[in-house]
Amino acid sequence: MEQTPRKMMADPMLAEMGKNLNEAMKILENGEKEAELDPVIRRLSWRDIPGPLQGDGQDVFSVLQLVQNLIHDDDDKPSHRTQYVGEQAHMALLGHSLAAYVSVLDRERLRKLTTRILSDTTLWLCRIFRYENGSAYYHEDDREGLLKVCRLVINTRYEDYSTEGFAVLSSKQPVIYQSAACRPGLGQNLCSQLGLPLSSLCTVPCNTMFGSQHQIDVALLDKLIKDDVDTGKLPLLLIANAGTPGAGHTDKLGRLKELCVQNNMWLHVEGVNLATLALGHVSSTVTAATKSDSMTLTPGPWLGLPAVPAVTLYRHEDPALTLAAGLTSSLPAEKLRALPLWLSLQYLGHDGIVERIKKTSELSKKLLEHLKTLGSIKTSDVLEAEVSLLEALSMVEDELNSPVVVFRFSQDTSTSSSHGSVEGYSGGEKEVLDALNRWLGEQLAQHVPASGVDVVELEDEGTCVRFNPLMTAAVLGTQEADINAVVEKLTELVPLLSCTLRFKQDFREEVYQHPALTYIEDLNWPGLGVIRYQLRSEYTDDSKRQQDLEKVNVELLKKLKEMDTDFSFSSGPEFSPEKNCIYVGIATDDLDVGALVETIASVGREIEESGKLLENMTEVVRKGIQEAELQLLKANEEKLMEEGVLRQIPLVGSVLNWFSPSQSSIKGRTFNLAAGSLDSTEETYTMKAQSGKTDPPDTPTSTTKRLPGQKLFRRSTTGSEVCSEVGSVGQPEELLREATPLPSPQEVVSHVTQELAEKPGPFESTEVPESQESDEEGSIR
């Protein structure tokens, strides 16, 4: 009974809007499931060619069907990640529909509604993130808030800016300071939008001696500010990080605030660690961000809310200057930007918001706990240098409260084992490790896409794998099971990387021992190495040599891929500068490097020799066919002289042959491929008539020396002589017998026949009588 009045008070338009939105979301979500189950049907129904606008229009379902096809057009790509859309996301989407609906209300009602929405949303965000007495600016581009703040600071520090414009800046050039760890292009975009020269941007290096190497050097910043003041410049604003884009490190915000107060500068803070301000226990370094003059929040990825604006909280008491800077506006469309966030925050509630951020922080802690149990991770900054030398994985972490986890595979290159060595790679050690870490991150992202791990390039550490759940967990729906899957995959891949790094030098030395193989130095390849099979024959035509080289290496790659092995062989990256190469993949612990290289060289040699044999046999067969044509022509002339002209006439010849049969003296011919000669078939028919039909002898098959279930190129673990022979000598011989068969005579004849058909011979027009055709049909092949 209590719900009836509330239902009657609901606006029918709002109810219809919510219903239509639910139906549209169901259509799109069902379309996504259909595309995953049967992508062929989706591609067949996809109209990728734009057409004219239909005069009669289309219904809602048809339009949504087109949108569905556009959304899922690239679902067959392996890098696709399914986005998790929950009920809170539906509320954010409903907010955009409501914004369009309320924008047509009368002015007074719209003013009251937008004022209430802005006031509520600003109040809630300031309380959640502990930013007292703050105002809020909502913007689509997360860089736009900083741009408006800079305009505000310029208007504040240059009193005549509103009347004289940029002319007042010539007296004292403004200077904007940013950390070297800020996101790339931020300062350049700021100067471009403000119309300032790049000389107004000062990038402050990070620590090099003490503290984190991802934190801004406060002492150096103080010196730079004093130097700028002495040269007549005006320090304007400092951009600091509460969670750097790469590693999630937080600057010393407390000391930076004191420095800004001393020099009358504006302090702006941004970063993912600002989300932890909503939690009950926050580190002191992040809490210092609440004392900054402004900070930018991105609640969309933090809470899994699509299409909600970013928010810049700031403190300033002059409404005229904020209006001049664009931080406030009287346009209804700009005021309604906060509507999707207003709906979503109410749907989640304070406890729901805190719970989501807390869950992402727990995922990071869970990953750290699992990594510590591997016995190959160090999480302390004090032992960071030691970790990079002694452990298989080194940990790069700012502090325990940071939700960003960054780790990197590393191994001591000064040590060696009984089966491999990494000596000789000190020069390109960083590039090799970067390539292996890049491969590690790609494998983790491919096998556990819901984890959201990615690859990040850090200036000092190099290529690392990053887990940043605040930016991905709510959107991808990351769970604890995904963290367990990452750790499980990590324990599987790290030993492979160690073996690959250990066998790289051995592989290179083995390749150098084979003249037919060339080692290609490619430090960016995450595998054993890159090789190319070189032809041993001499060529006068360089283009012919390049064609044969490409054919041999392509065929060699094909044969290697067909082998029963754990290795991966490929032609390399798409845009690799090296062509006609074979890229050998990740190694295993029981790899027999010598057997691998010997097999590659042997298979390549057999492919090259079989190609030469085919060319030689082609020439022999061509000469044999020409000789056969000459003998056929001579036999036709002898038959004409022996039988006379009358027997060649079809009707008369049949009557004469019936009354007086003729004994033909023409014999069949057979071509011996082994000897390259044209012989008579008389001896063959005589031997068959005497011996009768006999079965051909069985071809002796080679015995396999590989143990049952054992992959190629693996050392045996039994230690017996037989197993040792399998791992070294037996494999190449077996592979040559199985992988590179010689061309059959039929293939050679077919190849020659095709060439002769394309290039007519001198005897192509010779006519053969019907009687001879019947005699010679099965003789000359």
Side-chain angles (χ1 to χ4, degrees), residues 11 75 212 229 279 289 297 301 335 383 436 474 608 648 685 726:
D11 191 332
D75 278 359
S212 171
V229 172
L279 303 179
L297 311 175
K335 291 183 177 181
L383 299 178
L436 295 176
E608 182 183 4
Q648 311 306 320
Y685 291 146
V726 172

Side-chain angles (χ1 to χ4, degrees), residues 220-266:
L220 181 58
L221 173 62
D222 188 14
K223 182 178 181 301
L224 292 174
I225 293 175
K226 292 180 179 179
D227 293 341
D228 289 335
V229 172
D230 294 339
T231 56
K233 297 181 180 180
L234 179 64
L236 198 66
L237 179 140
L238 170 63
I239 306 173
N241 292 300
T244 57
H249 291 211
T250 301
D251 292 324
K252 296 179 175 59
L253 300 178
R255 294 183 58 190
L256 293 178
K257 179 59 180 178
E258 295 176 359
L259 190 61
C260 289
V261 171
Q262 296 174 5
N263 295 275
N264 195 20
M265 293 173 55
W266 185 284

Side-chain angles (χ1 to χ4, degrees), residues 64 119 149 223 247 266 432 469 565 627 697 727 754:
L64 290 176
S119 301
V149 166
K223 182 178 181 301
W266 185 284
V432 172
T565 176
E627 182 182 353
Q754 182 179 0

